[in-house]
């Protein structure tokens, strides 16, 4: 479950709209053994399609033509198996007759041992050639899975049996009846919404926002209630598509046990899946869930089901009597129950919990603590300290000319603010790497620009250490380089913050985060323009005119005093305004 990305992240997330179930491209190696599509539905009982072959006997090396035909279908999957052991592995290999609509797949250790579709284009007939292996069993039967559309399919349609010459008669029953096909648990309709009674006393609950009512239109709710060797699970949340939770050993999407309630035409399908990485989950055809119930009403998707504490027969199902981080996510679903990337960063519990241990009523965060600190420190550095430091250096040299510890006051203030900026930026810079454990390829241009800002921030104090004396010939060159690098860093920092605010891992309230940031930029530019205009007017006012030097010099002192007071007032107002913007951002970040 990160479970973002995006996107989850401008979302240039690679799977923003990729379906998480179904394989229209025919890459269905996951179905090699069961031949069951991972569609979250039960197969149809009575086949409509037939398999035929051009021979009834074969010898090793023979090519047998296999035909699959019937009403229009989209997908198919054909194998040959030992007729005396239909649960065994695929036998022999295939050659294509129609490369445009079919392709070869490798199941197990046998290359090209299955044939499947290449797209969901409509078809009524497909052909392929089966090549008998040297170690072929005495009797071989062809099986096919056919998908008419996403929720309508037939599994292991029995085909003809072919035998080697002089093979003894087949005695093992080979017929495949509907009773041998996987079936789903009965599904019941919930008559009323869930409630939070018992949370923290008899059942383990996760709620977002904390303490919200699971019947409310804004509440995400997940509960676990143990009863002997099984656990009743209830899940609820506002969604037009799906809601899901996952059990994880860490705070990253991947290697997780997931459970999804998918809204398909106002009917809920409850599925399990194993998340193998930051890729769409593959829904399981069999999941071991019992007592499935659901409800769609008032904008809420609600489902409940029961599962045993341990399900060793089901690959990917974790034991419930252990400690896990718990993810809670929601997202969109399209026709056929295909799910898409979650809308936003999933809710993640702040610690690992055992849901069968002492009952608790907890919440979680949709933004990890390290990323909150990263954003907070960057906002303090580039919205406050650097901005004030630049204004002090630009406009306050004549206001604070006196010395402090051997340097002018304005310079000491400027240097202190800029070094603080570098320190805060450096600390903030390493936090995402600690959280991610390396580079994040899901964050778009944000990390690249962030590295550039970090490099420029370090470059500034380094070059300042080699500052020439005020009247040295190279002082002008230094001034331009220092100003250019600083201005570039500030511009890139603002752009980087705009990009970072849209990343789902931070989960700031959109679009108010953008409006607030635009307000800060307008506020700073406005103050800068105001001080520039004031400086220009002051210079014009105190310009020395030869004809009246004494009178002008007297007014110069008065004008300068008035100008200094004005700048100090503007700086005070600017600091107050910056503080207001900063508090707004920090409050938005830390309420998540």
């Amino acid at each position: 479950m990160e479970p973002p990305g995006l996107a989850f992240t401008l979302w240039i997330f690679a799977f923003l709209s990729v379906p998480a179930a179904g394989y229209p491209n025919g890459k269905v190696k996951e179905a090699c053994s069961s031949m069951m599509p991972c569609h979250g539905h039960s197969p149809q009982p009575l086949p409509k399609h037939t398999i035929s072959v051009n021979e009834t006997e074969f010898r090793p090396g023979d090519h047998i033509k296999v035909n699959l035909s019937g009403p229009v279908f989209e997908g198919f999957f054909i194998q040959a198996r030992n007729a005396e052991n239909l649960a065994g592995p695929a036998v022999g290999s295939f050659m294509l007759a129609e490369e445009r609509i079919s392709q070869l797949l490798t199941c197990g250790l046998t290359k090209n041992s299955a044939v499947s579709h290449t797209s969901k284009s409509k078809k009524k007939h497909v052909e392929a050639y089966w090549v008998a292996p040297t170690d072929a069993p005495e009797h071989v039967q062809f099986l096919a899975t056919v998908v008419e559309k996403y929720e309508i399919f037939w599994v292991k349609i029995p085909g003809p049996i072919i035998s080697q010459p002089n093979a003894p008669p087949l005695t093992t029953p080979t017929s495949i009846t509907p009773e041998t096909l996987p079936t789903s648990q009965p599904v019941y309709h919930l008559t009323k919404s869930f409630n939070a009674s018992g949370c923290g006393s008899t059942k383990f609950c996760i709620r977002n926002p904390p303490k919200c009512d699971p019947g409310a239109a804004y509440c995400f709710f997940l509960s676990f209630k143990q009863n002997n060797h099984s656990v009743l699970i209830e899940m609820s949340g506002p969604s037009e598509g799906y809601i899901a939770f996952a059990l994880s050993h860490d705070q990253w999407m991947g290697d997780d046990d997931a459970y999804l309630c998918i809204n398909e035409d106002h009917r809920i399908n409850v599925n399990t899946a194993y998340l193998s990485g930051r890729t769409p989950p593959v829904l399981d055809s069999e999941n071991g869930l019992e007592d499935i119930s659901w409800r769609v009403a008032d904008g809420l998707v609600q489902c409940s089901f029961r599962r045993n504490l341990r399900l060793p027969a089901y690959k990917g199902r974790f034991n419930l009597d252990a400690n896990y981080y718990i993810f809670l996510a929601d997202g969109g679903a399209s026709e056929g129950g295909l799910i898409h990337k979650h809308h936003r960063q999933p809710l993640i519990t702040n610690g690992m919990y055992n849901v069968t241990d002492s009952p608790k009523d907890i919440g979680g965060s949709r933004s990890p603590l390290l990323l909150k600190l990263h954003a907070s420190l960057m906002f303090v550095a580039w919205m406050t300290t650097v901005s004030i430091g630049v204004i002090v250096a630009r406009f306050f040299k004549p206001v604070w000319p006196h010395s402090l510890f051997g340097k002018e006051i304005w310079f000491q203030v400027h240097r202190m603010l800029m070094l603080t900026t570098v320190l805060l930026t450096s600390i903030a810079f390493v936090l995402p790497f600690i959280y991610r454990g390396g580079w994040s390829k899901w964050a778009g241009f944000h990390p690249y620009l962030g590295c550039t800002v970090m490099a420029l921030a370090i470059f500034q104090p380094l070059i300042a250490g080699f500052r020439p004396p005020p009247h040295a010939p190279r002082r002008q060159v230094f001034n331009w380089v220092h100003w250019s690098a600083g201005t570039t860093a500030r511009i890139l920092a603002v752009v980087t913050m705009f990009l970072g605010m849209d990343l789902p891992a931070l989960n700031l309230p959109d679009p108010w985060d953008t409006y607030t940031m635009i307000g800060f930029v307008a506020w700073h530019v406005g103050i800068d323009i105001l001080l520039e205009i004031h400086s220009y007017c002051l210079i014009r006012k105190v310009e020395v005119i030869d004809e009246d030097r004494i009178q002008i010099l007297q007014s110069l002192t008065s004008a300068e005093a008035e100008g200094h007071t004005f700048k100090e007032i503007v700086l005070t107002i600017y600091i107050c305004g910056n503080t207001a913007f900063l508090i707004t951002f920090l409050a938005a970040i830390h309420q998540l």
Side-chain angles (χ1 to χ4, degrees):
M1 268 55 18
E2 168 217 184
L6 199 116
F8 327 345
T9 260
L10 300 174
W11 275 135
I12 58 169
F13 301 102
F15 46 84
L16 176 62
S17 59
V18 178
Y23 292 84
N25 62 4
K27 304 293 186 181
V28 290
K29 289 184 179 181
E30 289 79 1
C32 278
S33 177
S34 67
M35 298 186 70
M36 169 70 75
C38 299
H39 291 187
H41 296 267
S42 297
Q44 302 298 308
L46 301 175
K48 298 180 181 179
H49 304 79
T50 59
I51 309 170
S52 62
V53 294
N54 64 341
E55 299 287 349
T56 58
E57 289 188 350
F58 72 94
R59 291 178 175 85
D62 283 356
H63 289 53
I64 306 298
K65 186 176 182 179
V66 182
N67 295 276
L68 173 64
S69 59
V72 173
F73 57 95
E74 295 179 352
F76 65 91
F77 187 67
I78 303 173
Q79 280 186 351
R81 295 192 179 184
N82 185 342
E84 297 179 291
N85 180 23
L86 292 179
V91 172
S93 60
F94 285 88
M95 295 177 60
L96 298 180
E98 303 167 292
E99 294 186 3
R100 183 178 61 83
I101 63 173
S102 58
Q103 63 183 321
L104 299 174
L105 296 179
T106 296
C107 287
L109 301 177
T110 307
K111 186 176 181 181
N112 301 333
S113 54
V115 185
S116 74
H117 55 281
T118 58
S119 71
K120 59 187 298 185
S121 62
K122 306 295 183 182
K123 50 191 80 73
K124 291 185 177 181
H125 176 267
V126 292
E127 293 181 356
Y129 292 92
W130 179 72
V131 181
T134 56
D135 58 348
E138 294 177 326
H139 306 279
V140 171
Q141 184 171 18
F142 295 94
L143 304 174
T145 290
V146 176
V147 178
E148 180 179 298
K149 57 182 181 179
Y150 185 82
E151 66 274 13
I152 301 177
F153 55 87
W154 295 263
V155 175
K156 289 185 178 179
I157 299 173
I161 298 173
I162 60 175
S163 306
Q164 297 197 48
N166 304 319
L170 181 65
T171 58
T172 304
T174 60
S175 61
I176 300 179
T177 64
E179 285 75 19
T180 64
L181 296 174
T183 58
S184 60
Q185 291 291 331
V187 177
Y188 303 98
H189 191 76
L190 292 169
T191 58
K192 59 181 180 180
S193 178
F194 298 141
N195 61 72
S197 62
C199 284
S201 58
T202 61
K203 59 185 180 182
F204 187 103
C205 296
I206 301 171
R207 291 192 270 177
N208 178 240
K211 305 298 182 182
C212 66
D213 180 359
Y218 57 87
C219 183
F220 288 91
F221 175 80
L222 176 65
S223 72
F224 303 84
K225 185 175 182 180
Q226 183 177 0
N227 182 14
N228 296 325
H229 299 292
S230 68
V231 175
L232 175 66
I233 300 171
E234 297 176 335
M235 180 163 48
S236 172
S239 177
E240 294 295 328
Y242 70 91
I243 54 175
F245 80 89
L247 306 175
S248 179
H249 297 289
D250 52 36
Q251 292 182 296
W252 283 98
M253 178 180 173
D255 300 323
D256 307 325
D257 181 12
Y259 300 78
L260 305 95
C261 297
I262 306 170
N263 183 4
E264 182 183 353
D265 296 328
H266 298 283
R267 178 180 177 84
I268 301 300
N269 291 313
V270 179
N271 297 93
T272 60
Y274 182 74
L275 306 180
S276 58
R278 293 178 69 88
T279 57
V282 177
L283 303 183
D284 299 321
S285 57
E286 300 179 75
N287 51 41
L289 304 182
E290 302 173 346
D291 300 337
I292 296 173
S293 302
W294 58 269
R295 177 177 181 265
V296 180
D298 305 322
L300 291 173
V301 170
Q302 298 187 322
C303 63
S304 68
F305 50 90
R306 185 181 300 278
R307 62 148 284 187
N308 290 336
L309 287 175
R310 298 171 180 265
L311 291 172
Y314 295 87
K315 183 180 178 181
R317 302 286 74 77
F318 293 177
N319 296 334
L320 291 183
D321 52 355
N323 290 319
Y324 305 103
Y325 288 100
I326 303 173
F327 290 57
L328 189 57
D330 65 294
S334 56
E335 183 179 357
L338 304 179
I339 69 170
H340 303 285
K341 177 65 179 176
H342 40 74
H343 290 316
R344 50 181 170 170
Q345 179 81 357
L347 180 81
I348 306 174
T349 57
N350 295 322
M352 302 181 75
Y353 293 94
N354 183 339
V355 298
T356 63
D357 204 347
S358 57
K360 293 180 176 61
D361 187 6
I362 64 171
S365 173
R366 294 187 183 271
S367 183
L369 178 61
L370 288 179
L371 296 189
K372 288 182 180 180
L373 292 175
H374 166 77
S376 300
L377 294 176
M378 285 299 189
F379 280 126
V380 171
W382 295 95
M383 287 180 66
T384 305
T385 57
V386 76
S387 301
I388 297 173
V390 168
I391 286 180
V392 168
R394 176 70 181 87
F395 300 105
F396 280 77
K397 292 179 182 179
V399 179
W400 298 331
H402 305 293
S403 295
L404 178 66
F405 302 117
K407 295 288 184 180
E408 294 91 340
I409 294 177
W410 72 265
F411 179 78
Q412 296 286 37
V413 172
H414 171 75
R415 182 165 60 180
M416 178 193 68
L417 291 172
M418 291 310 184
L419 289 177
T420 301
T421 298
V422 174
L423 176 63
L424 294 177
T425 303
S426 300
I427 296 173
F429 180 78
V430 302
L431 295 180
F433 290 96
I434 295 173
Y435 171 68
R436 299 287 185 185
W439 186 265
S440 173
K441 61 181 180 180
W442 306 103
F445 291 105
H446 178 79
Y448 296 98
L449 294 178
C451 289
T452 304
V453 171
M454 184 72 256
L456 290 172
I458 294 176
F459 174 75
Q460 283 292 80
L462 291 179
I463 192 177
F466 298 94
R467 181 176 65 256
H471 302 292
R474 291 177 296 174
R475 181 58 180 248
Q476 280 297 105
V477 175
F478 164 80
N479 289 342
W480 276 105
V481 171
H482 190 60
W483 177 86
S484 300
T487 302
T488 302
R490 294 180 67 204
I491 293 173
L492 291 180
V494 171
V495 173
T496 305
M497 285 190 287
F498 269 110
L499 295 176
M501 289 187 305
D502 287 334
L503 294 179
L506 194 55
N507 195 41
L508 284 171
D510 189 64
W512 300 109
D513 56 341
T514 302
Y515 294 157
T516 304
M517 190 66 185
I518 291 174
F520 162 72
V521 173
W523 169 254
H524 174 77
V525 172
I527 292 295
D528 216 30
I529 292 175
L530 177 63
L531 290 174
E532 287 285 359
I533 293 174
H534 172 262
S535 296
Y536 174 78
C537 293
L538 184 62
I539 292 172
R540 294 281 296 174
K541 186 175 182 180
V542 301
E543 186 178 26
V544 177
I545 303 176
D546 290 338
E547 289 80 359
D548 199 4
R549 182 178 298 273
I550 296 177
Q551 180 180 349
I552 295 301
L553 287 177
Q554 289 175 345
S555 63
L556 175 97
T557 304
S558 175
E560 282 187 333
E562 293 174 3
H564 295 172
T565 301
F566 177 82
K567 288 180 179 179
E568 290 171 343
I569 293 173
V570 170
L571 180 62
T572 301
I573 295 174
Y574 180 69
I575 292 174
C576 292
N578 268 29
T579 302
F581 282 115
L582 185 62
I583 291 174
T584 301
F585 265 105
L586 296 183
I589 290 172
H590 290 279
Q591 72 177 352
L592 305 175

